Amino acid sequence: MNEYELDHFQSEFDPQTMAESLKADGSTQNKAKNFAILKTSSFLAFSKEAGRVAILTNNKKESLAAAFTCREELEKWPFERTEVAEVPFAALQAIVKNNDRLDGVVIDPFGKALVLKRDHLSDIDNTLAAAQPRQALKLKATRDYPIGLPLAVKELCESHKEVYRVWILAARGEQDNEDHKLLVVDFDGKGEDLFPHLAKAVRLYLRQGERLEMRKADIHLLRVAEQATRPIYEKA
């Protein structure tokens, strides 16, 4: 990207819209729509070399990769300046994922200052995955999960009387190269009303970058889950 284009750069992403999408009570459909815009957006960043961007530390001692939606926001930077690069959001995610010392990304830090922590970055990918057309899955029992995960599910589900049973299975789609975790949930209601709360409850028990999918149990999933393993939660 040449200097003229950088001077006139304007990301299609709106931090205020994203802040609304991050709220727990937002619908999955609206979240997925806004997350998709973010996922395909690019930002400006001070970068000395590929794969590295300027880092800010906030008053909570959190280290955040700094990105900007336009040149005007970039010009608010009060520190030493290096070369400016256009950085896709996916690259910012990768920078955080590959550096344990980073806590997330901050967009327009001297403007609206939208902070996307590691859990937000995971939620973005999980929400987009959930919004994709369902592909056929190969399912099997698994014990590859932390001992505290069933307890976290139990505590959450006990406050949601509409939940009857929950299973955790290993799942692999037709185009997947490895298994991921699938929560099969037998409950009344809509997934968008329950799943954001369930995802928040189990997030701490997932490995960095680990994919978690959640599906409402239909007749097929119930049959497979019941044959594969015992539920990790069952309503008393």
mmCIF file of all heavy atoms in Angstrom, residues 117-152:
data_model
loop_
_atom_site.group_PDB
_atom_site.id
_atom_site.type_symbol
_atom_site.label_atom_id
_atom_site.label_comp_id
_atom_site.label_asym_id
_atom_site.label_seq_id
_atom_site.Cartn_x
_atom_site.Cartn_y
_atom_site.Cartn_z
ATOM 1 N N LYS A 117 -10.105 -8.261 24.378
ATOM 2 C CA LYS A 117 -9.239 -9.175 25.132
ATOM 3 C C LYS A 117 -9.209 -10.539 24.453
ATOM 4 O O LYS A 117 -9.934 -10.797 23.494
ATOM 5 C CB LYS A 117 -9.757 -9.297 26.575
ATOM 6 C CG LYS A 117 -9.884 -7.956 27.294
ATOM 7 C CD LYS A 117 -8.528 -7.442 27.739
ATOM 8 C CE LYS A 117 -8.012 -8.232 28.918
ATOM 9 N NZ LYS A 117 -8.888 -8.114 30.096
ATOM 10 N N ARG A 118 -8.385 -11.419 24.991
ATOM 11 C CA ARG A 118 -8.263 -12.761 24.404
ATOM 12 C C ARG A 118 -9.608 -13.488 24.337
ATOM 13 O O ARG A 118 -9.903 -14.181 23.359
ATOM 14 C CB ARG A 118 -7.267 -13.596 25.209
ATOM 15 C CG ARG A 118 -5.814 -13.250 24.939
ATOM 16 C CD ARG A 118 -4.876 -14.127 25.728
ATOM 17 N NE ARG A 118 -3.489 -13.829 25.406
ATOM 18 C CZ ARG A 118 -2.808 -14.400 24.435
ATOM 19 N NH1 ARG A 118 -3.388 -15.318 23.683
ATOM 20 N NH2 ARG A 118 -1.546 -14.078 24.208
ATOM 21 N N ASP A 119 -10.435 -13.342 25.387
ATOM 22 C CA ASP A 119 -11.720 -14.039 25.371
ATOM 23 C C ASP A 119 -12.627 -13.466 24.292
ATOM 24 O O ASP A 119 -13.399 -14.192 23.654
ATOM 25 C CB ASP A 119 -12.393 -13.991 26.747
ATOM 26 C CG ASP A 119 -12.539 -12.588 27.299
ATOM 27 O OD1 ASP A 119 -11.993 -11.645 26.700
ATOM 28 O OD2 ASP A 119 -13.187 -12.429 28.356
ATOM 29 N N HIS A 120 -12.548 -12.145 24.037
ATOM 30 C CA HIS A 120 -13.324 -11.556 22.952
ATOM 31 C C HIS A 120 -12.862 -12.103 21.601
ATOM 32 O O HIS A 120 -13.695 -12.413 20.736
ATOM 33 C CB HIS A 120 -13.166 -10.035 22.931
ATOM 34 C CG HIS A 120 -13.743 -9.348 24.119
ATOM 35 N ND1 HIS A 120 -13.100 -8.315 24.767
ATOM 36 C CD2 HIS A 120 -14.901 -9.543 24.797
ATOM 37 C CE1 HIS A 120 -13.835 -7.910 25.777
ATOM 38 N NE2 HIS A 120 -14.939 -8.643 25.822
ATOM 39 N N LEU A 121 -11.565 -12.227 21.419
ATOM 40 C CA LEU A 121 -11.036 -12.736 20.153
ATOM 41 C C LEU A 121 -11.502 -14.163 19.908
ATOM 42 O O LEU A 121 -11.814 -14.544 18.777
ATOM 43 C CB LEU A 121 -9.507 -12.655 20.150
ATOM 44 C CG LEU A 121 -8.910 -11.247 20.296
ATOM 45 C CD1 LEU A 121 -7.393 -11.307 20.309
ATOM 46 C CD2 LEU A 121 -9.400 -10.324 19.184
ATOM 47 N N SER A 122 -11.571 -14.965 20.976
ATOM 48 C CA SER A 122 -12.074 -16.333 20.850
ATOM 49 C C SER A 122 -13.565 -16.336 20.546
ATOM 50 O O SER A 122 -14.044 -17.126 19.718
ATOM 51 C CB SER A 122 -11.799 -17.125 22.136
ATOM 52 O OG SER A 122 -10.416 -17.258 22.364
ATOM 53 N N ASP A 123 -14.322 -15.446 21.205
ATOM 54 C CA ASP A 123 -15.764 -15.369 20.976
ATOM 55 C C ASP A 123 -16.072 -15.023 19.521
ATOM 56 O O ASP A 123 -17.047 -15.514 18.945
ATOM 57 C CB ASP A 123 -16.384 -14.306 21.885
ATOM 58 C CG ASP A 123 -16.536 -14.787 23.322
ATOM 59 O OD1 ASP A 123 -16.384 -16.000 23.551
ATOM 60 O OD2 ASP A 123 -16.798 -13.947 24.198
ATOM 61 N N ILE A 124 -15.261 -14.163 18.939
ATOM 62 C CA ILE A 124 -15.471 -13.776 17.546
ATOM 63 C C ILE A 124 -15.400 -14.993 16.643
ATOM 64 O O ILE A 124 -16.284 -15.236 15.810
ATOM 65 C CB ILE A 124 -14.443 -12.712 17.128
ATOM 66 C CG1 ILE A 124 -14.776 -11.378 17.811
ATOM 67 C CG2 ILE A 124 -14.407 -12.537 15.610
ATOM 68 C CD1 ILE A 124 -13.677 -10.345 17.729
ATOM 69 N N ASP A 125 -14.353 -15.795 16.804
ATOM 70 C CA ASP A 125 -14.200 -16.980 15.959
ATOM 71 C C ASP A 125 -15.278 -18.018 16.238
ATOM 72 O O ASP A 125 -15.815 -18.641 15.324
ATOM 73 C CB ASP A 125 -12.812 -17.600 16.169
ATOM 74 C CG ASP A 125 -11.713 -16.777 15.518
ATOM 75 O OD1 ASP A 125 -12.019 -16.013 14.592
ATOM 76 O OD2 ASP A 125 -10.553 -16.903 15.930
ATOM 77 N N ASN A 126 -15.614 -18.219 17.518
ATOM 78 C CA ASN A 126 -16.628 -19.213 17.861
ATOM 79 C C ASN A 126 -18.007 -18.812 17.344
ATOM 80 O O ASN A 126 -18.779 -19.656 16.881
ATOM 81 C CB ASN A 126 -16.679 -19.422 19.378
ATOM 82 C CG ASN A 126 -15.473 -20.191 19.897
ATOM 83 O OD1 ASN A 126 -14.873 -20.967 19.171
ATOM 84 N ND2 ASN A 126 -15.117 -19.961 21.140
ATOM 85 N N THR A 127 -18.330 -17.512 17.431
ATOM 86 C CA THR A 127 -19.622 -17.040 16.937
ATOM 87 C C THR A 127 -19.726 -17.185 15.431
ATOM 88 O O THR A 127 -20.746 -17.623 14.900
ATOM 89 C CB THR A 127 -19.840 -15.562 17.326
ATOM 90 O OG1 THR A 127 -19.821 -15.445 18.748
ATOM 91 C CG2 THR A 127 -21.171 -15.049 16.808
ATOM 92 N N LEU A 128 -18.650 -16.856 14.726
ATOM 93 C CA LEU A 128 -18.665 -17.005 13.270
ATOM 94 C C LEU A 128 -18.763 -18.470 12.866
ATOM 95 O O LEU A 128 -19.461 -18.815 11.913
ATOM 96 C CB LEU A 128 -17.398 -16.373 12.672
ATOM 97 C CG LEU A 128 -17.344 -14.845 12.712
ATOM 98 C CD1 LEU A 128 -15.996 -14.344 12.226
ATOM 99 C CD2 LEU A 128 -18.462 -14.250 11.870
ATOM 100 N N ALA A 129 -18.072 -19.332 13.617
ATOM 101 C CA ALA A 129 -18.161 -20.772 13.315
ATOM 102 C C ALA A 129 -19.581 -21.282 13.522
ATOM 103 O O ALA A 129 -20.096 -22.081 12.739
ATOM 104 C CB ALA A 129 -17.179 -21.543 14.194
ATOM 105 N N ALA A 130 -20.227 -20.800 14.580
ATOM 106 C CA ALA A 130 -21.597 -21.242 14.877
ATOM 107 C C ALA A 130 -22.589 -20.749 13.830
ATOM 108 O O ALA A 130 -23.634 -21.380 13.616
ATOM 109 C CB ALA A 130 -22.009 -20.747 16.255
ATOM 110 N N ALA A 131 -22.274 -19.631 13.187
ATOM 111 C CA ALA A 131 -23.192 -19.053 12.205
ATOM 112 C C ALA A 131 -23.040 -19.681 10.823
ATOM 113 O O ALA A 131 -23.867 -19.450 9.940
ATOM 114 C CB ALA A 131 -22.964 -17.549 12.104
ATOM 115 N N GLN A 132 -22.006 -20.472 10.628
ATOM 116 C CA GLN A 132 -21.797 -21.123 9.344
ATOM 117 C C GLN A 132 -22.813 -22.240 9.142
ATOM 118 O O GLN A 132 -23.301 -22.837 10.094
ATOM 119 C CB GLN A 132 -20.378 -21.701 9.270
ATOM 120 C CG GLN A 132 -19.279 -20.665 9.267
ATOM 121 C CD GLN A 132 -19.358 -19.734 8.091
ATOM 122 O OE1 GLN A 132 -19.545 -20.176 6.952
ATOM 123 N NE2 GLN A 132 -19.247 -18.436 8.354
ATOM 124 N N PRO A 133 -23.149 -22.543 7.878
ATOM 125 C CA PRO A 133 -24.039 -23.669 7.619
ATOM 126 C C PRO A 133 -23.490 -24.937 8.265
ATOM 127 O O PRO A 133 -22.292 -25.212 8.199
ATOM 128 C CB PRO A 133 -24.028 -23.780 6.081
ATOM 129 C CG PRO A 133 -23.665 -22.406 5.609
ATOM 130 C CD PRO A 133 -22.719 -21.872 6.646
ATOM 131 N N ARG A 134 -24.376 -25.677 8.906
ATOM 132 C CA ARG A 134 -23.959 -26.867 9.630
ATOM 133 C C ARG A 134 -23.461 -27.945 8.676
ATOM 134 O O ARG A 134 -24.143 -28.321 7.735
ATOM 135 C CB ARG A 134 -25.121 -27.401 10.463
ATOM 136 C CG ARG A 134 -25.581 -26.432 11.547
ATOM 137 C CD ARG A 134 -24.482 -26.264 12.589
ATOM 138 N NE ARG A 134 -24.849 -25.313 13.614
ATOM 139 C CZ ARG A 134 -25.540 -25.628 14.707
ATOM 140 N NH1 ARG A 134 -25.961 -26.845 14.900
ATOM 141 N NH2 ARG A 134 -25.825 -24.718 15.597
ATOM 142 N N GLN A 135 -22.273 -28.452 8.937
ATOM 143 C CA GLN A 135 -21.746 -29.553 8.162
ATOM 144 C C GLN A 135 -21.874 -30.841 8.961
ATOM 145 O O GLN A 135 -22.026 -30.821 10.180
ATOM 146 C CB GLN A 135 -20.275 -29.311 7.804
ATOM 147 C CG GLN A 135 -19.367 -29.126 9.012
ATOM 148 C CD GLN A 135 -17.906 -29.024 8.628
ATOM 149 O OE1 GLN A 135 -17.439 -29.767 7.766
ATOM 150 N NE2 GLN A 135 -17.187 -28.115 9.261
ATOM 151 N N ALA A 136 -21.852 -31.950 8.251
ATOM 152 C CA ALA A 136 -21.939 -33.242 8.929
ATOM 153 C C ALA A 136 -20.720 -33.438 9.814
ATOM 154 O O ALA A 136 -19.597 -33.066 9.451
ATOM 155 C CB ALA A 136 -22.032 -34.359 7.892
ATOM 156 N N LEU A 137 -20.941 -33.988 10.995
ATOM 157 C CA LEU A 137 -19.862 -34.189 11.952
ATOM 158 C C LEU A 137 -19.698 -35.665 12.284
ATOM 159 O O LEU A 137 -20.679 -36.398 12.388
ATOM 160 C CB LEU A 137 -20.142 -33.415 13.254
ATOM 161 C CG LEU A 137 -20.177 -31.894 13.190
ATOM 162 C CD1 LEU A 137 -20.577 -31.337 14.552
ATOM 163 C CD2 LEU A 137 -18.829 -31.335 12.770
ATOM 164 N N LYS A 138 -18.457 -36.062 12.461
ATOM 165 C CA LYS A 138 -18.161 -37.366 13.034
ATOM 166 C C LYS A 138 -17.962 -37.151 14.529
ATOM 167 O O LYS A 138 -17.125 -36.341 14.940
ATOM 168 C CB LYS A 138 -16.895 -37.960 12.400
ATOM 169 C CG LYS A 138 -17.061 -38.306 10.924
ATOM 170 C CD LYS A 138 -15.782 -38.938 10.367
ATOM 171 C CE LYS A 138 -15.960 -39.317 8.898
ATOM 172 N NZ LYS A 138 -14.713 -39.918 8.340
ATOM 173 N N LEU A 139 -18.738 -37.854 15.346
ATOM 174 C CA LEU A 139 -18.753 -37.629 16.788
ATOM 175 C C LEU A 139 -18.273 -38.864 17.529
ATOM 176 O O LEU A 139 -18.514 -39.993 17.113
ATOM 177 C CB LEU A 139 -20.174 -37.279 17.243
ATOM 178 C CG LEU A 139 -20.843 -36.096 16.530
ATOM 179 C CD1 LEU A 139 -22.290 -35.964 16.970
ATOM 180 C CD2 LEU A 139 -20.079 -34.820 16.800
ATOM 181 N N LYS A 140 -17.587 -38.615 18.653
ATOM 182 C CA LYS A 140 -17.147 -39.716 19.508
ATOM 183 C C LYS A 140 -16.962 -39.207 20.924
ATOM 184 O O LYS A 140 -16.863 -38.001 21.163
ATOM 185 C CB LYS A 140 -15.843 -40.318 18.986
ATOM 186 C CG LYS A 140 -14.662 -39.352 18.997
ATOM 187 C CD LYS A 140 -13.409 -40.014 18.424
ATOM 188 C CE LYS A 140 -12.220 -39.031 18.437
ATOM 189 N NZ LYS A 140 -11.006 -39.644 17.856
ATOM 190 N N ALA A 141 -16.923 -40.133 21.868
ATOM 191 C CA ALA A 141 -16.711 -39.765 23.263
ATOM 192 C C ALA A 141 -15.311 -39.201 23.455
ATOM 193 O O ALA A 141 -14.380 -39.525 22.713
ATOM 194 C CB ALA A 141 -16.910 -40.983 24.161
ATOM 195 N N THR A 142 -15.152 -38.349 24.443
ATOM 196 C CA THR A 142 -13.845 -37.798 24.773
ATOM 197 C C THR A 142 -13.740 -37.553 26.272
ATOM 198 O O THR A 142 -14.736 -37.236 26.925
ATOM 199 C CB THR A 142 -13.578 -36.483 24.020
ATOM 200 O OG1 THR A 142 -12.260 -36.002 24.347
ATOM 201 C CG2 THR A 142 -14.579 -35.409 24.412
ATOM 202 N N ARG A 143 -12.529 -37.727 26.786
ATOM 203 C CA ARG A 143 -12.220 -37.339 28.168
ATOM 204 C C ARG A 143 -11.170 -36.236 28.173
ATOM 205 O O ARG A 143 -10.608 -35.907 29.222
ATOM 206 C CB ARG A 143 -11.692 -38.549 28.954
ATOM 207 C CG ARG A 143 -12.669 -39.710 29.046
ATOM 208 C CD ARG A 143 -13.870 -39.388 29.910
ATOM 209 N NE ARG A 143 -13.494 -39.168 31.303
ATOM 210 C CZ ARG A 143 -14.342 -38.833 32.257
ATOM 211 N NH1 ARG A 143 -15.623 -38.637 31.966
ATOM 212 N NH2 ARG A 143 -13.931 -38.659 33.498
ATOM 213 N N ASP A 144 -10.943 -35.659 26.995
ATOM 214 C CA ASP A 144 -9.908 -34.634 26.857
ATOM 215 C C ASP A 144 -10.478 -33.260 27.214
ATOM 216 O O ASP A 144 -10.688 -32.403 26.358
ATOM 217 C CB ASP A 144 -9.366 -34.634 25.425
ATOM 218 C CG ASP A 144 -8.267 -33.602 25.224
ATOM 219 O OD1 ASP A 144 -7.608 -33.246 26.226
ATOM 220 O OD2 ASP A 144 -8.080 -33.149 24.079
ATOM 221 N N TYR A 145 -10.754 -33.081 28.502
ATOM 222 C CA TYR A 145 -11.194 -31.777 28.983
ATOM 223 C C TYR A 145 -10.828 -31.651 30.455
ATOM 224 O O TYR A 145 -10.727 -32.659 31.164
ATOM 225 C CB TYR A 145 -12.699 -31.575 28.775
ATOM 226 C CG TYR A 145 -13.580 -32.654 29.343
ATOM 227 C CD1 TYR A 145 -13.955 -32.653 30.682
ATOM 228 C CD2 TYR A 145 -14.046 -33.686 28.529
ATOM 229 C CE1 TYR A 145 -14.765 -33.647 31.210
ATOM 230 C CE2 TYR A 145 -14.855 -34.683 29.048
ATOM 231 C CZ TYR A 145 -15.217 -34.659 30.382
ATOM 232 O OH TYR A 145 -16.013 -35.640 30.894
ATOM 233 N N PRO A 146 -10.597 -30.444 30.947
ATOM 234 C CA PRO A 146 -10.177 -30.234 32.336
ATOM 235 C C PRO A 146 -11.241 -30.713 33.318
ATOM 236 O O PRO A 146 -12.452 -30.657 33.040
ATOM 237 C CB PRO A 146 -9.970 -28.717 32.425
ATOM 238 C CG PRO A 146 -9.771 -28.283 31.017
ATOM 239 C CD PRO A 146 -10.613 -29.193 30.178
ATOM 240 N N ILE A 147 -10.820 -31.145 34.479
ATOM 241 C CA ILE A 147 -11.727 -31.680 35.485
ATOM 242 C C ILE A 147 -12.735 -30.638 35.952
ATOM 243 O O ILE A 147 -13.852 -30.963 36.369
ATOM 244 C CB ILE A 147 -10.923 -32.245 36.683
ATOM 245 C CG1 ILE A 147 -11.842 -33.059 37.601
ATOM 246 C CG2 ILE A 147 -10.234 -31.114 37.441
ATOM 247 C CD1 ILE A 147 -11.074 -33.813 38.675
ATOM 248 N N GLY A 148 -12.383 -29.353 35.873
ATOM 249 C CA GLY A 148 -13.275 -28.301 36.342
ATOM 250 C C GLY A 148 -14.378 -27.928 35.362
ATOM 251 O O GLY A 148 -15.338 -27.239 35.738
ATOM 252 N N LEU A 149 -14.285 -28.385 34.108
ATOM 253 C CA LEU A 149 -15.263 -27.982 33.108
ATOM 254 C C LEU A 149 -16.672 -28.478 33.428
ATOM 255 O O LEU A 149 -17.628 -27.697 33.352
ATOM 256 C CB LEU A 149 -14.815 -28.442 31.714
ATOM 257 C CG LEU A 149 -15.615 -27.889 30.529
ATOM 258 C CD1 LEU A 149 -14.712 -27.693 29.327
ATOM 259 C CD2 LEU A 149 -16.772 -28.813 30.161
ATOM 260 N N PRO A 150 -16.869 -29.757 33.787
ATOM 261 C CA PRO A 150 -18.233 -30.196 34.121
ATOM 262 C C PRO A 150 -18.851 -29.410 35.276
ATOM 263 O O PRO A 150 -20.058 -29.126 35.263
ATOM 264 C CB PRO A 150 -18.040 -31.680 34.496
ATOM 265 C CG PRO A 150 -16.812 -32.095 33.753
ATOM 266 C CD PRO A 150 -15.922 -30.892 33.794
ATOM 267 N N LEU A 151 -18.045 -29.042 36.255
ATOM 268 C CA LEU A 151 -18.562 -28.268 37.376
ATOM 269 C C LEU A 151 -19.015 -26.882 36.922
ATOM 270 O O LEU A 151 -20.067 -26.383 37.353
ATOM 271 C CB LEU A 151 -17.508 -28.136 38.473
ATOM 272 C CG LEU A 151 -17.924 -27.315 39.708
ATOM 273 C CD1 LEU A 151 -19.153 -27.933 40.370
ATOM 274 C CD2 LEU A 151 -16.760 -27.223 40.694
ATOM 275 N N ALA A 152 -18.234 -26.267 36.028
ATOM 276 C CA ALA A 152 -18.613 -24.950 35.496
ATOM 277 C C ALA A 152 -19.921 -25.046 34.723
ATOM 278 O O ALA A 152 -20.783 -24.169 34.833
ATOM 279 C CB ALA A 152 -17.498 -24.408 34.597
#
